Amino acid sequence: MDRTDSYHHGALRSALIKTGLELISEKDISGFTLREVAKRTGVSTAAPYHHFKDKAELLQAMSIEGWRMLGERFEAVSDVAETPSARLRGIGEAYIRFAMEHTEYFRVMSRPDLYYSGVYDENREATGLKVFEMLRSTVAGLFPGKKNDDPEIQEMVLHAWVLVHGFSTLWIDGSIKGTSLGELGIEELISMLFRSDPCLTQT
Amino acid sequence: MDRTDSYHHGALRSALIKTGLELISEKDISGFTLREVAKRTGVSTAAPYHHFKDKAELLQAMSIEGWRMLGERFEAVSDVAETPSARLRGIGEAYIRFAMEHTEYFRVMSRPDLYYSGVYDENREATGLKVFEMLRSTVAGLFPGKKNDDPEIQEMVLHAWVLVHGFSTLWIDGSIKGTSLGELGIEELISMLFRSDPCLTQT
DNA sequence: CATTTATCTTAACACTGTCAAGATAGATTT
DNA sequence: AAATCTATCTTGACAGTGTTAAGATAAATG
């Protein structure tokens, strides 16, 4: 390799994040190796340590990118939805499909113990919280006149979140496949899931 | 150590499972080491390999024990419940509390990629499925006259499962804490969760 | 051009999962 | 009881991991 190529001045940090996301898309999290991220980026084994405290901190940075992407999807869906209830249903489905398409991002994003290394990156907290707030304001849209922290809204936020997150994790972990529900197709399951929720089926 | 102590004739397998469960209760899954399990059991590094194909297979055996315990809890709750709906609510709560009390068992149990090593242990599949069937028959109790595979029952099983699993994972991963819902206590959240479900609040 | 600062590499450490070869214990046979 | 056999465990090694200290190299600055 060209010698000067290994000097990514200022750009190594983001290059590592990018390579890391590529790598995690191919293999699962257990095969995610800091050494291989470095090798693929064309840099020595120890190089990442000048940009990240440890492996967990790189994963944390990667999860920020995941949250940003999910936020974008939420926005895209919100823009085209015509009713508050269609909007809620839309971002719910977006959540599930994101988990299915980017399973390994999703794993890292929702498992702080994978990337926690003593200190939380405030950017990560902010990016994750932003997505949560998008959900909350979408739910609030169903209750015009009520404040954001109204108990009824809080309850519905919890319910919606739990529903899509629970389904996503069960699905990507393959837990559903082994049961009698596994005979159903994914589309059927999703519509079944939303049908079971009165809040999401109301017009 | 006494020399003969290291020869667990026939009992090493279960001893390793037991030690493994103890170890995983103290540390999280990322700190779970086959070598330490062996050392704690008073046996050499390579000894486990005469009883388990690899690390994943030990984890699989451990997860069977977890499913068995959860099944016991379900039965205990079912026995005391007086109405079908109280029974469903009871096992739902049991699911959540099990996840909170035995977080690391729960993690291994619900993540096949942690213990999958090429072949599924049929005992594990059977034990996990048994718990699922307990949920299904509990839901079926709400619809006397309908068959076990009635679509309406299937839908409600999915809904109930997703609800308790989603909440459990969000809680143990600390995802809720960072949001506005984090200000609420766990008891409050649980009752909020069940209140949001019309099926579980009906009498 | 010389010096400073930012960035990366080399070389090592302790630790991990895993395996092949040999040793030891208990059971079985004679 | 002695000898054999089988099940069980240990020793010692290998490749791969995260991580760190010390030194080298590139770019920026004077």
Side-chain angles (χ1 to χ4, degrees):
Chain A
M1 174 197 325
D2 196 345
R3 208 47 184 277
T4 47
D5 277 5
S6 62
Y7 274 76
H8 303 234
H9 267 90
L12 217 206
R13 195 191 138 90
S14 55
L16 289 170
I17 295 174
K18 192 181 164 210
T19 310
L21 288 173
E22 285 170 14
L23 194 56
I24 215 174
S25 299
E26 299 170 18
K27 312 186 176 184
D28 60 356
I29 187 80
S30 65
F32 182 79
T33 277
L34 204 47
R35 289 177 112 105
E36 189 168 354
V37 175
K39 190 187 292 178
R40 283 211 192 188
T41 316
V43 105
S44 83
T45 296
Y49 286 88
H50 296 267
H51 298 272
F52 303 99
K53 175 171 155 271
D54 52 20
K55 183 183 177 183
E57 206 169 274
L58 169 59
L59 285 170
Q60 184 163 202
M62 286 162 58
S63 94
I64 295 181
E65 183 59 19
W67 283 109
R68 209 191 45 70
M69 283 174 61
L70 182 56
E72 275 179 3
R73 295 215 183 179
F74 273 21
E75 270 171 8
V77 164
S78 289
D79 287 349
V80 301
E82 298 190 339
T83 67
S85 132
R87 187 166 292 132
L88 180 55
R89 156 104 194 211
I91 66 171
E93 239 184 284
Y95 192 99
I96 293 172
R97 299 202 187 277
F98 181 85
M100 288 182 359
E101 286 169 34
H102 297 289
T103 303
E104 298 303 330
Y105 291 25
F106 182 76
R107 284 236 162 84
V108 177
M109 285 159 61
S110 54
R111 298 257 333 254
D113 61 296
L114 285 178
Y115 60 72
Y116 182 70
S117 64
V119 188
Y120 284 120
D121 185 330
E122 52 186 26
N123 279 335
R124 196 209 59 83
E125 235 165 318
T127 318
L129 215 54
K130 188 179 162 196
V131 174
F132 175 82
E133 289 301 332
M134 289 170 79
L135 166 62
R136 185 149 78 143
S137 66
T138 302
V139 169
L142 286 171
F143 301 91
K146 293 201 170 169
K147 291 254 176 187
N148 248 6
D149 58 347
D150 183 279
E152 196 172 354
I153 292 181
Q154 291 271 71
E155 184 177 312
M156 192 156 166
V157 166
L158 175 67
H159 188 80
W161 189 15
V162 158
L163 216 69
V164 294
H165 185 78
F167 182 82
S168 299
T169 52
L170 284 177
W171 176 262
I172 67 179
D173 290 337
S175 307
I176 291 179
K177 214 181 319 177
T179 72
S180 62
L181 293 168
E183 298 158 11
L184 304 170
I186 177 69
E187 298 301 331
E188 203 169 351
L189 280 169
I190 290 179
S191 67
M192 205 172 182
L193 181 74
F194 287 124
R195 203 183 318 129
S196 72
D197 190 310
C199 312
L200 290 167
T201 46
Q202 79 187 15
T203 50
Chain B
M1 177 198 321
D2 197 345
R3 208 44 182 284
T4 49
D5 277 6
S6 60
Y7 273 76
H8 302 236
H9 272 270
L12 215 207
R13 195 191 137 91
S14 55
L16 288 169
I17 295 174
K18 192 182 162 208
T19 310
L21 288 173
E22 285 170 15
L23 193 57
I24 215 174
S25 299
E26 298 169 19
K27 312 186 175 181
D28 60 357
I29 188 79
S30 65
F32 182 78
T33 274
L34 203 48
R35 288 178 114 104
E36 189 167 354
V37 176
K39 190 187 292 177
R40 283 211 193 188
T41 315
V43 107
S44 84
T45 296
Y49 285 88
H50 295 267
H51 298 271
F52 303 99
K53 175 172 157 266
D54 53 17
K55 182 182 176 182
E57 207 169 271
L58 170 59
L59 285 170
Q60 184 164 201
M62 286 163 56
S63 93
I64 295 181
E65 182 59 18
W67 283 108
R68 210 191 46 71
M69 283 175 60
L70 182 57
E72 275 180 3
R73 295 215 184 179
F74 273 21
E75 270 171 8
V77 164
S78 289
D79 288 347
V80 302
E82 299 190 339
T83 68
S85 128
R87 188 166 292 132
L88 180 55
R89 158 101 196 212
I91 67 172
E93 241 185 282
Y95 192 99
I96 294 173
R97 298 203 188 276
F98 181 86
M100 290 182 358
E101 286 169 34
H102 298 290
T103 302
E104 299 303 331
Y105 292 25
F106 182 76
R107 284 234 162 88
V108 177
M109 287 158 60
S110 54
R111 297 257 334 254
D113 61 295
L114 286 179
Y115 61 71
Y116 184 69
S117 65
V119 188
Y120 282 122
D121 184 330
E122 52 185 28
N123 280 334
R124 196 209 60 81
E125 235 164 317
T127 319
L129 215 54
K130 188 179 160 195
V131 173
F132 176 80
E133 289 302 332
M134 289 171 78
L135 166 63
R136 185 150 76 143
S137 66
T138 301
V139 169
L142 285 171
F143 300 91
K146 293 203 170 166
K147 292 252 178 191
N148 247 6
D149 58 345
D150 184 279
E152 195 171 353
I153 291 181
Q154 292 272 70
E155 183 176 313
M156 192 156 165
V157 166
L158 175 67
H159 188 80
W161 189 15
V162 158
L163 215 70
V164 295
H165 185 79
F167 181 82
S168 298
T169 52
L170 284 177
W171 177 262
I172 68 180
D173 290 338
S175 306
I176 292 179
K177 213 181 320 178
T179 71
S180 62
L181 293 168
E183 298 158 11
L184 303 170
I186 177 67
E187 298 300 330
E188 204 168 351
L189 281 169
I190 290 180
S191 67
M192 206 171 179
L193 182 73
F194 288 122
R195 202 183 318 130
S196 73
D197 190 311
C199 312
L200 290 167
T201 46
Q202 81 190 13
T203 53

